[in-house]
Amino acid sequence: MHDRSHSMKVTVIGAGNMGSAFVKQLTRAGHQVSVAARSGSKAAQVAAANPGARAVDVANSAVDADAVVLATGFADAAAALKSVGDLQGKVVIDITNPLTADYMGLTLGHSTSAAEEIAQAVPGAEVVKGFNTLFAQVLADGADFGNGQKASVFVASDSARAKQVATTLAESMGFTVIDAGGLKNARYLEPLAGLNIYLGYGAGLGTAIAPTWIRKA
């Protein structure tokens, strides 16, 4: 049995590969999950496939949430967040990457990041970058890579509370967490995701890969 005392109310915005993978792992970890998407039927399908999850209307879907997982594409991110209700003081976990149409490049970087642009678009929210370096397959299959290896989640935020919430959720799903500093360090994490995508698709390593950092004992 999961420890219900650490159960959180999480709203996942988006019912694509990443959104559905989040719903799967969060419900398994014992959280109360709501899924909202532009397509109500897709949200309903994802909820039906994951016992304990429920599909909700996008409007006001963030009201009771302890955390909101932004699982749309970056291009749709700001509009999606503005559609879910008041985000003042809400923890928003931004998993997006500002990818070009062919997924082989980033549309912005160096002096800003998707995470910083999203934080500017919803000024009241406490935005934390995280999970963006994971393929949907890795998120869906789980953190365990065998031989004691676990996939890592990098978290970057200017809010200690947001970082703690994202860390708690990631660890409840079995991931190792690496504190990547302030939100502007999303400028490093988004290109890291770009490298991961290149290795997975461009170099043909497949999507059962994930970046991490090693440290001598």
Side-chain angles (χ1 to χ4, degrees):
M1 278 298 292
H2 293 289
D3 180 356
R4 287 277 165 189
S5 66
H6 288 293
S7 174
M8 285 193 221
K9 291 181 180 167
V10 185
T11 297
V12 177
I13 309 172
N17 290 345
M18 285 298 282
S20 54
F22 260 101
V23 173
K24 175 182 174 183
Q25 291 298 348
L26 287 168
T27 51
R28 282 189 170 183
H31 301 290
Q32 299 171 55
V33 183
S34 301
V35 55
R38 209 160 29 186
S39 160
S41 61
K42 270 186 91 173
Q45 275 178 336
V46 171
N50 295 282
R54 62 191 187 116
V56 295
D57 283 338
V58 173
N60 298 319
S61 58
V63 172
D64 293 330
D66 298 312
V68 174
V69 175
L70 177 61
T72 67
F74 172 59
D76 301 319
L81 283 176
K82 287 173 180 173
S83 69
V84 298
D86 184 14
L87 290 170
Q88 192 69 36
K90 289 277 183 203
V91 172
V92 172
I93 300 172
D94 164 35
I95 72 167
T96 68
N97 290 304
L99 299 169
T100 53
D102 66 359
Y103 298 115
M104 286 297 143
L106 301 183
T107 58
L108 50 84
H110 294 301
S111 56
T112 188
S113 62
E116 290 166 280
E117 298 292 309
I118 287 164
Q120 276 189 329
V122 284
E126 295 184 24
V127 176
V128 51
K129 189 85 199 181
F131 298 92
N132 69 300
T133 59
L134 297 179
F135 280 120
Q137 182 194 334
V138 170
L139 191 59
D141 289 350
D144 186 2
F145 271 54
N147 297 329
Q149 298 180 104
K150 278 186 172 185
S152 296
V153 168
F154 298 85
V155 294
S157 182
D158 296 332
S159 159
R161 185 175 73 100
K163 200 180 277 187
Q164 187 53 57
V165 167
T167 297
T168 300
L169 287 174
E171 289 177 345
S172 76
M173 293 188 277
F175 291 93
T176 299
V177 177
I178 296 174
D179 185 334
L183 194 66
K184 78 173 187 185
N185 285 351
R187 297 173 196 179
Y188 301 138
L189 295 181
E190 291 164 13
L192 180 58
L195 176 63
N196 193 47
I197 290 166
Y198 165 74
L199 291 171
Y201 291 108
L205 297 186
T207 54
I209 60 172
T212 189
W213 246 249
I214 57 175
R215 183 169 61 182
K216 284 197 173 176

